[in-house]
Short mmCIF file of all heavy atoms in Angstrom, two decimals:
data_model
loop_
_atom_site.label_atom_id
_atom_site.label_comp_id
_atom_site.label_asym_id
_atom_site.label_seq_id
_atom_site.Cartn_x
_atom_site.Cartn_y
_atom_site.Cartn_z
N MET E 1 0.84 -1.20 -0.02
CA MET E 1 0.01 0.01 -0.01
C MET E 1 0.91 1.27 0.00
O MET E 1 1.93 1.28 0.62
CB MET E 1 -0.88 -0.03 1.25
CG MET E 1 -2.06 0.91 1.18
SD MET E 1 -3.22 0.60 2.53
CE MET E 1 -4.57 1.61 1.95
N GLU E 2 0.43 2.24 -0.69
CA GLU E 2 1.23 3.45 -0.84
C GLU E 2 0.50 4.68 -0.25
O GLU E 2 -0.74 4.72 -0.25
CB GLU E 2 1.57 3.71 -2.28
CG GLU E 2 2.46 2.62 -2.91
CD GLU E 2 2.71 2.89 -4.37
OE1 GLU E 2 1.96 3.71 -4.94
OE2 GLU E 2 3.62 2.27 -4.92
N CYS E 3 1.28 5.68 0.15
CA CYS E 3 0.74 6.91 0.64
C CYS E 3 -0.08 7.59 -0.47
O CYS E 3 0.42 7.72 -1.62
CB CYS E 3 1.89 7.85 1.09
SG CYS E 3 1.36 9.49 1.56
N THR E 4 -1.28 8.03 -0.14
CA THR E 4 -2.15 8.66 -1.15
C THR E 4 -1.48 9.92 -1.70
O THR E 4 -1.70 10.28 -2.83
CB THR E 4 -3.48 9.02 -0.50
OG1 THR E 4 -4.10 7.74 -0.03
CG2 THR E 4 -4.42 9.68 -1.49
N TYR E 5 -0.72 10.60 -0.85
CA TYR E 5 -0.14 11.86 -1.26
C TYR E 5 1.18 11.75 -1.97
O TYR E 5 1.39 12.18 -3.12
CB TYR E 5 0.00 12.81 -0.07
CG TYR E 5 0.55 14.12 -0.45
CD1 TYR E 5 -0.22 15.05 -1.23
CD2 TYR E 5 1.82 14.49 -0.07
CE1 TYR E 5 0.32 16.24 -1.61
CE2 TYR E 5 2.40 15.73 -0.43
CZ TYR E 5 1.60 16.59 -1.22
OH TYR E 5 2.12 17.82 -1.60
N CYS E 6 2.17 11.10 -1.30
CA CYS E 6 3.55 11.12 -1.82
C CYS E 6 3.94 9.75 -2.47
O CYS E 6 4.99 9.70 -3.11
CB CYS E 6 4.53 11.49 -0.77
SG CYS E 6 4.82 10.28 0.48
N GLY E 7 3.12 8.70 -2.27
CA GLY E 7 3.41 7.45 -2.91
C GLY E 7 4.43 6.58 -2.21
O GLY E 7 4.84 5.55 -2.75
N SER E 8 4.87 6.98 -1.00
CA SER E 8 5.82 6.18 -0.27
C SER E 8 5.19 4.84 0.16
O SER E 8 3.98 4.75 0.37
CB SER E 8 6.30 6.91 0.97
OG SER E 8 7.06 8.04 0.63
N ASP E 9 6.03 3.81 0.31
CA ASP E 9 5.55 2.53 0.75
C ASP E 9 5.22 2.62 2.24
O ASP E 9 6.07 2.90 3.06
CB ASP E 9 6.66 1.49 0.50
CG ASP E 9 6.19 0.06 0.84
OD1 ASP E 9 5.10 -0.06 1.44
OD2 ASP E 9 6.97 -0.86 0.52
N LEU E 10 3.96 2.44 2.59
CA LEU E 10 3.48 2.56 3.92
C LEU E 10 4.05 1.52 4.89
O LEU E 10 3.94 1.65 6.10
CB LEU E 10 1.98 2.58 3.98
CG LEU E 10 1.32 3.77 3.32
CD1 LEU E 10 -0.22 3.65 3.41
CD2 LEU E 10 1.78 5.11 3.97
N ALA E 11 4.67 0.46 4.37
CA ALA E 11 5.26 -0.53 5.21
C ALA E 11 6.38 0.06 6.07
O ALA E 11 6.71 -0.50 7.15
CB ALA E 11 5.79 -1.69 4.36
N HIS E 12 6.93 1.19 5.62
CA HIS E 12 8.04 1.81 6.33
C HIS E 12 7.51 2.83 7.36
O HIS E 12 8.32 3.46 8.07
CB HIS E 12 8.95 2.52 5.35
CG HIS E 12 9.54 1.58 4.34
ND1 HIS E 12 10.33 0.54 4.68
CD2 HIS E 12 9.47 1.60 3.00
CE1 HIS E 12 10.68 -0.14 3.56
NE2 HIS E 12 10.20 0.52 2.54
N TYR E 13 6.22 3.01 7.45
CA TYR E 13 5.67 4.05 8.35
C TYR E 13 4.59 3.49 9.24
O TYR E 13 4.17 2.32 9.10
CB TYR E 13 5.06 5.16 7.53
CG TYR E 13 6.05 5.86 6.63
CD1 TYR E 13 6.26 5.41 5.30
CD2 TYR E 13 6.80 6.95 7.12
CE1 TYR E 13 7.17 6.04 4.49
CE2 TYR E 13 7.71 7.57 6.28
CZ TYR E 13 7.90 7.11 4.99
OH TYR E 13 8.80 7.76 4.18
N ASP E 14 4.15 4.31 10.16
CA ASP E 14 2.99 4.00 10.98
C ASP E 14 1.84 4.83 10.37
O ASP E 14 1.63 5.97 10.74
CB ASP E 14 3.23 4.43 12.42
CG ASP E 14 2.08 4.04 13.32
OD1 ASP E 14 1.22 3.26 12.89
OD2 ASP E 14 1.99 4.55 14.44
N PRO E 15 1.14 4.31 9.37
CA PRO E 15 0.35 5.12 8.51
C PRO E 15 -0.94 5.67 9.18
O PRO E 15 -1.43 5.13 10.17
CB PRO E 15 -0.06 4.18 7.35
CG PRO E 15 0.10 2.85 7.92
CD PRO E 15 1.18 2.89 8.93
N VAL E 16 -1.41 6.78 8.64
CA VAL E 16 -2.63 7.42 9.05
C VAL E 16 -3.70 7.10 8.04
O VAL E 16 -3.56 7.39 6.84
CB VAL E 16 -2.46 8.97 9.14
CG1 VAL E 16 -3.77 9.64 9.63
CG2 VAL E 16 -1.29 9.29 10.03
N PHE E 17 -4.80 6.46 8.48
CA PHE E 17 -5.85 6.14 7.56
C PHE E 17 -7.03 7.10 7.72
O PHE E 17 -7.35 7.48 8.84
CB PHE E 17 -6.36 4.69 7.80
CG PHE E 17 -5.34 3.66 7.46
CD1 PHE E 17 -4.54 3.10 8.45
CD2 PHE E 17 -5.13 3.28 6.13
CE1 PHE E 17 -3.58 2.12 8.13
CE2 PHE E 17 -4.18 2.33 5.85
CZ PHE E 17 -3.38 1.75 6.80
N VAL E 18 -7.63 7.49 6.60
CA VAL E 18 -8.73 8.41 6.56
C VAL E 18 -9.97 7.75 6.02
O VAL E 18 -9.87 7.06 5.00
CB VAL E 18 -8.36 9.67 5.80
CG1 VAL E 18 -9.52 10.65 5.78
CG2 VAL E 18 -7.12 10.32 6.35
N GLU E 19 -11.10 7.99 6.67
CA GLU E 19 -12.33 7.50 6.14
C GLU E 19 -13.28 8.67 5.91
O GLU E 19 -13.17 9.69 6.56
CB GLU E 19 -13.00 6.53 7.14
CG GLU E 19 -12.25 5.23 7.31
CD GLU E 19 -12.96 4.31 8.28
OE1 GLU E 19 -13.64 4.81 9.19
OE2 GLU E 19 -12.83 3.11 8.14
N LYS E 20 -14.20 8.49 4.98
CA LYS E 20 -15.27 9.48 4.82
C LYS E 20 -16.62 8.76 4.84
O LYS E 20 -16.67 7.53 4.74
CB LYS E 20 -15.08 10.23 3.53
CG LYS E 20 -15.19 9.34 2.26
CD LYS E 20 -14.90 10.18 0.99
CE LYS E 20 -14.92 9.25 -0.20
NZ LYS E 20 -14.58 10.00 -1.44
N THR E 21 -17.67 9.53 4.98
CA THR E 21 -18.99 8.95 5.01
C THR E 21 -19.66 9.18 3.69
O THR E 21 -19.73 10.32 3.20
CB THR E 21 -19.80 9.54 6.16
OG1 THR E 21 -19.10 9.38 7.37
CG2 THR E 21 -21.16 8.90 6.27
N ALA E 22 -20.11 8.11 3.06
CA ALA E 22 -20.84 8.22 1.77
C ALA E 22 -22.07 7.36 1.86
O ALA E 22 -21.99 6.15 2.10
CB ALA E 22 -19.91 7.74 0.61
N ASP E 23 -23.21 7.96 1.68
CA ASP E 23 -24.51 7.28 1.80
C ASP E 23 -24.62 6.48 3.10
O ASP E 23 -25.13 5.38 3.13
CB ASP E 23 -24.66 6.33 0.60
CG ASP E 23 -24.69 7.06 -0.72
OD1 ASP E 23 -25.18 8.18 -0.70
OD2 ASP E 23 -24.26 6.50 -1.75
N GLY E 24 -24.15 7.10 4.19
CA GLY E 24 -24.29 6.49 5.48
C GLY E 24 -23.25 5.41 5.81
O GLY E 24 -23.26 4.85 6.89
N GLU E 25 -22.37 5.12 4.89
CA GLU E 25 -21.35 4.13 5.13
C GLU E 25 -19.96 4.73 5.13
O GLU E 25 -19.71 5.70 4.40
CB GLU E 25 -21.41 3.07 4.02
CG GLU E 25 -22.67 2.19 4.10
CD GLU E 25 -22.52 1.00 3.19
OE1 GLU E 25 -21.39 0.57 2.93
OE2 GLU E 25 -23.59 0.52 2.68
N ARG E 26 -19.13 4.21 6.04
CA ARG E 26 -17.75 4.72 6.06
C ARG E 26 -16.89 4.01 5.08
O ARG E 26 -16.88 2.75 4.97
CB ARG E 26 -17.18 4.44 7.49
CG ARG E 26 -18.03 5.15 8.56
CD ARG E 26 -17.38 5.01 9.90
NE ARG E 26 -16.22 5.90 10.02
CZ ARG E 26 -15.50 6.03 11.09
NH1 ARG E 26 -15.77 5.35 12.17
NH2 ARG E 26 -14.46 6.87 11.09
N VAL E 27 -16.25 4.78 4.24
CA VAL E 27 -15.44 4.21 3.17
C VAL E 27 -14.05 4.81 3.24
O VAL E 27 -13.84 5.93 3.69
CB VAL E 27 -16.03 4.52 1.76
CG1 VAL E 27 -17.40 3.86 1.64
CG2 VAL E 27 -16.16 6.03 1.57
N PRO E 28 -13.01 4.06 2.87
CA PRO E 28 -11.67 4.53 2.90
C PRO E 28 -11.50 5.79 2.01
O PRO E 28 -11.97 5.78 0.86
CB PRO E 28 -10.83 3.36 2.37
CG PRO E 28 -11.69 2.15 2.56
CD PRO E 28 -13.10 2.66 2.39
N ALA E 29 -10.81 6.76 2.52
CA ALA E 29 -10.62 7.99 1.72
C ALA E 29 -9.13 8.25 1.44
O ALA E 29 -8.78 9.23 0.80
CB ALA E 29 -11.26 9.18 2.40
N GLY E 30 -8.29 7.39 1.97
CA GLY E 30 -6.86 7.58 1.75
C GLY E 30 -6.04 7.03 2.91
O GLY E 30 -6.51 6.78 3.97
N ALA E 31 -4.76 6.86 2.62
CA ALA E 31 -3.78 6.41 3.62
C ALA E 31 -2.52 7.25 3.47
O ALA E 31 -2.08 7.47 2.32
CB ALA E 31 -3.50 4.93 3.45
N PHE E 32 -1.97 7.70 4.58
CA PHE E 32 -0.83 8.61 4.48
C PHE E 32 0.25 8.17 5.40
O PHE E 32 -0.03 7.58 6.47
CB PHE E 32 -1.30 10.02 4.87
CG PHE E 32 -2.44 10.49 4.04
CD1 PHE E 32 -3.75 10.23 4.36
CD2 PHE E 32 -2.18 11.21 2.87
CE1 PHE E 32 -4.80 10.63 3.57
CE2 PHE E 32 -3.24 11.60 2.05
CZ PHE E 32 -4.54 11.33 2.36
N CYS E 33 1.51 8.42 5.02
CA CYS E 33 2.64 7.92 5.85
C CYS E 33 2.78 8.75 7.15
O CYS E 33 3.38 8.28 8.10
CB CYS E 33 3.96 7.89 5.04
SG CYS E 33 4.36 9.39 4.18
N ASN E 34 2.23 9.97 7.17
CA ASN E 34 2.25 10.72 8.40
C ASN E 34 1.25 11.90 8.25
O ASN E 34 0.69 12.07 7.19
CB ASN E 34 3.65 11.21 8.75
CG ASN E 34 4.24 12.01 7.61
OD1 ASN E 34 3.56 12.87 6.97
ND2 ASN E 34 5.47 11.76 7.24
N TYR E 35 1.11 12.61 9.31
CA TYR E 35 0.12 13.70 9.30
C TYR E 35 0.54 14.84 8.40
O TYR E 35 -0.29 15.60 7.92
CB TYR E 35 -0.14 14.25 10.72
CG TYR E 35 -1.04 13.33 11.52
CD1 TYR E 35 -0.51 12.45 12.47
CD2 TYR E 35 -2.42 13.28 11.30
CE1 TYR E 35 -1.34 11.57 13.20
CE2 TYR E 35 -3.25 12.45 12.01
CZ TYR E 35 -2.72 11.59 12.97
OH TYR E 35 -3.52 10.73 13.62
N ALA E 36 1.82 14.99 8.15
CA ALA E 36 2.29 16.01 7.22
C ALA E 36 1.77 15.75 5.82
O ALA E 36 1.30 16.66 5.13
CB ALA E 36 3.80 16.06 7.20
N CYS E 37 1.80 14.50 5.39
CA CYS E 37 1.26 14.18 4.06
C CYS E 37 -0.26 14.34 4.05
O CYS E 37 -0.80 14.76 3.04
CB CYS E 37 1.62 12.71 3.69
SG CYS E 37 3.26 12.59 2.99
N LEU E 38 -0.91 13.95 5.13
CA LEU E 38 -2.33 14.16 5.22
C LEU E 38 -2.69 15.65 5.06
O LEU E 38 -3.58 15.99 4.31
CB LEU E 38 -2.90 13.59 6.55
CG LEU E 38 -4.33 13.88 6.85
CD1 LEU E 38 -5.26 13.32 5.77
CD2 LEU E 38 -4.72 13.28 8.20
N ASP E 39 -1.98 16.45 5.82
CA ASP E 39 -2.22 17.88 5.78
C ASP E 39 -1.96 18.45 4.39
O ASP E 39 -2.76 19.24 3.87
CB ASP E 39 -1.32 18.58 6.80
CG ASP E 39 -1.67 20.04 6.93
OD1 ASP E 39 -2.84 20.34 7.27
OD2 ASP E 39 -0.77 20.88 6.75
N ALA E 40 -0.90 18.02 3.74
CA ALA E 40 -0.54 18.49 2.43
C ALA E 40 -1.61 18.05 1.43
O ALA E 40 -1.97 18.81 0.52
CB ALA E 40 0.82 17.97 2.01
N HIS E 41 -2.07 16.83 1.57
CA HIS E 41 -3.11 16.32 0.67
C HIS E 41 -4.39 17.17 0.82
O HIS E 41 -5.03 17.49 -0.19
CB HIS E 41 -3.38 14.86 1.01
CG HIS E 41 -4.55 14.30 0.21
ND1 HIS E 41 -4.53 14.08 -1.11
CD2 HIS E 41 -5.82 13.98 0.64
CE1 HIS E 41 -5.72 13.61 -1.53
NE2 HIS E 41 -6.50 13.55 -0.48
N ILE E 42 -4.73 17.48 2.05
CA ILE E 42 -5.95 18.28 2.27
C ILE E 42 -5.78 19.65 1.58
O ILE E 42 -6.70 20.12 0.91
CB ILE E 42 -6.17 18.45 3.78
CG1 ILE E 42 -6.63 17.14 4.39
CG2 ILE E 42 -7.25 19.55 4.06
CD1 ILE E 42 -6.68 17.17 5.90
N ASP E 43 -4.62 20.24 1.69
CA ASP E 43 -4.39 21.52 1.04
C ASP E 43 -4.50 21.35 -0.47
O ASP E 43 -5.13 22.17 -1.16
CB ASP E 43 -3.01 22.07 1.40
CG ASP E 43 -3.02 22.69 2.78
OD1 ASP E 43 -4.13 22.86 3.37
OD2 ASP E 43 -1.95 23.05 3.28
N ASP E 44 -3.84 20.33 -1.01
CA ASP E 44 -3.80 20.15 -2.45
C ASP E 44 -5.19 19.89 -3.01
O ASP E 44 -5.57 20.39 -4.04
CB ASP E 44 -2.92 18.88 -2.77
CG ASP E 44 -1.52 19.29 -3.09
OD1 ASP E 44 -1.09 20.40 -2.66
OD2 ASP E 44 -0.84 18.53 -3.79
N ALA E 45 -5.99 19.09 -2.27
CA ALA E 45 -7.30 18.70 -2.76
C ALA E 45 -8.34 19.77 -2.42
O ALA E 45 -9.46 19.65 -2.80
CB ALA E 45 -7.68 17.34 -2.19
N GLU E 46 -7.90 20.78 -1.68
CA GLU E 46 -8.77 21.91 -1.32
C GLU E 46 -10.01 21.36 -0.55
O GLU E 46 -11.11 21.88 -0.72
CB GLU E 46 -9.20 22.66 -2.51
CG GLU E 46 -7.99 23.27 -3.21
CD GLU E 46 -8.36 24.10 -4.43
OE1 GLU E 46 -9.57 24.11 -4.80
OE2 GLU E 46 -7.50 24.79 -4.98
N LEU E 47 -9.77 20.33 0.34
CA LEU E 47 -10.85 19.73 1.02
C LEU E 47 -11.46 20.64 2.08
O LEU E 47 -12.57 20.43 2.49
CB LEU E 47 -10.38 18.43 1.70
CG LEU E 47 -9.90 17.31 0.74
CD1 LEU E 47 -9.47 16.08 1.57
CD2 LEU E 47 -11.04 16.91 -0.18
N THR E 48 -10.72 21.63 2.46
CA THR E 48 -11.22 22.54 3.50
C THR E 48 -12.01 23.70 2.87
O THR E 48 -12.61 24.47 3.60
CB THR E 48 -10.09 23.06 4.36
OG1 THR E 48 -9.11 23.67 3.60
CG2 THR E 48 -9.45 21.97 5.20
N TYR E 49 -11.93 23.87 1.56
CA TYR E 49 -12.66 24.96 0.93
C TYR E 49 -14.14 24.76 1.08
O TYR E 49 -14.65 23.68 0.82
CB TYR E 49 -12.28 25.06 -0.60
CG TYR E 49 -10.94 25.66 -0.82
CD1 TYR E 49 -9.86 25.41 0.00
CD2 TYR E 49 -10.76 26.56 -1.88
CE1 TYR E 49 -8.62 25.96 -0.25
CE2 TYR E 49 -9.51 27.13 -2.14
CZ TYR E 49 -8.48 26.81 -1.33
OH TYR E 49 -7.23 27.38 -1.57
N GLY E 50 -14.81 25.81 1.49
CA GLY E 50 -16.24 25.72 1.60
C GLY E 50 -16.68 25.17 2.97
O GLY E 50 -17.85 25.05 3.23
N ALA E 51 -15.72 24.82 3.82
CA ALA E 51 -16.06 24.24 5.09
C ALA E 51 -16.67 25.32 6.01
O ALA E 51 -17.47 25.05 6.84
CB ALA E 51 -14.88 23.62 5.78
N ALA E 52 -16.19 26.53 5.84
CA ALA E 52 -16.72 27.65 6.64
C ALA E 52 -17.78 28.36 5.82
O ALA E 52 -17.65 28.51 4.59
CB ALA E 52 -15.61 28.61 7.03
N CYS E 53 -18.83 28.82 6.50
CA CYS E 53 -19.91 29.50 5.77
C CYS E 53 -19.46 30.78 5.12
O CYS E 53 -19.68 30.99 3.92
CB CYS E 53 -21.05 29.82 6.76
SG CYS E 53 -21.76 28.31 7.45
N GLN E 54 -18.77 31.58 5.86
CA GLN E 54 -18.32 32.86 5.33
C GLN E 54 -16.88 33.12 5.76
O GLN E 54 -16.66 33.74 6.79
CB GLN E 54 -19.24 34.02 5.81
CG GLN E 54 -20.67 33.85 5.23
CD GLN E 54 -21.53 35.03 5.76
OE1 GLN E 54 -21.22 35.66 6.71
NE2 GLN E 54 -22.64 35.23 5.06
N TRP E 55 -16.01 32.62 4.97
CA TRP E 55 -14.59 32.82 5.30
C TRP E 55 -13.93 33.57 4.20
O TRP E 55 -14.14 33.27 3.01
CB TRP E 55 -13.90 31.48 5.47
CG TRP E 55 -12.47 31.60 5.80
CD1 TRP E 55 -11.90 31.81 7.04
CD2 TRP E 55 -11.35 31.55 4.88
NE1 TRP E 55 -10.57 31.88 6.93
CE2 TRP E 55 -10.18 31.76 5.65
CE3 TRP E 55 -11.25 31.36 3.50
CZ2 TRP E 55 -8.92 31.75 5.04
CZ3 TRP E 55 -9.99 31.38 2.94
CH2 TRP E 55 -8.87 31.59 3.69
N SER E 56 -13.15 34.58 4.55
CA SER E 56 -12.43 35.37 3.51
C SER E 56 -11.03 35.58 3.95
O SER E 56 -10.74 35.89 5.13
CB SER E 56 -13.12 36.73 3.38
OG SER E 56 -12.27 37.58 2.60
N PRO E 57 -10.08 35.40 3.08
CA PRO E 57 -8.68 35.59 3.45
C PRO E 57 -8.37 37.10 3.70
O PRO E 57 -7.30 37.40 4.24
CB PRO E 57 -7.92 35.12 2.23
CG PRO E 57 -8.90 35.19 1.11
CD PRO E 57 -10.24 34.95 1.74
N ASP E 58 -9.25 37.96 3.35
CA ASP E 58 -9.01 39.38 3.55
C ASP E 58 -9.37 39.85 4.95
O ASP E 58 -9.01 40.94 5.37
CB ASP E 58 -9.87 40.19 2.54
CG ASP E 58 -9.42 39.87 1.10
OD1 ASP E 58 -8.24 39.57 0.89
OD2 ASP E 58 -10.28 39.87 0.23
N GLU E 59 -10.13 39.01 5.70
CA GLU E 59 -10.59 39.46 6.98
C GLU E 59 -9.53 39.20 8.08
O GLU E 59 -8.77 38.28 7.99
CB GLU E 59 -11.88 38.73 7.37
CG GLU E 59 -13.05 39.25 6.52
CD GLU E 59 -14.34 38.51 6.86
OE1 GLU E 59 -14.29 37.55 7.64
OE2 GLU E 59 -15.39 38.88 6.33
ZN1 ZN W 101 3.40 10.38 2.32
#
C-alpha cells in the first residue's frame, strides 16, 4: 500500500488512515505515511474549501 499523497511505501511508516462517510457508510478515503502528508493532501485537494460558511482571506 502506498501513501495517497507522496506514494511512499507505507510498510516503512505508521500510517494514518482516513475514512469518509458516503451514503451512510464509512469508506476509505486515503492512507498517508504521516500527518504532514495528510495535511498536504488536504491543502492540495482543497478539502477545506467551503467548510466555513463565510470565510475570507481578507478578514
Ligand atoms: Zn506520504
Side-chain angles (χ1 to χ4, degrees):
M1 195 168 193
E2 295 177 345
C3 174
T4 300
Y5 180 70
C6 72
S8 292
D9 185 350
L10 292 180
H12 301 301
Y13 298 92
D14 183 16
V16 181
F17 293 98
V18 178
E19 293 181 329
K20 63 183 176 183
T21 304
D23 296 330
E25 291 190 28
R26 301 186 73 178
V27 296
F32 303 87
C33 52
N34 55 46
Y35 282 102
C37 276
L38 172 58
D39 188 57
H41 172 71
I42 289 171
D43 282 351
D44 266 24
E46 301 182 352
L47 297 179
T48 55
Y49 282 40
C53 296
Q54 294 181 341
W55 180 84
S56 168
D58 298 327
E59 290 178 352

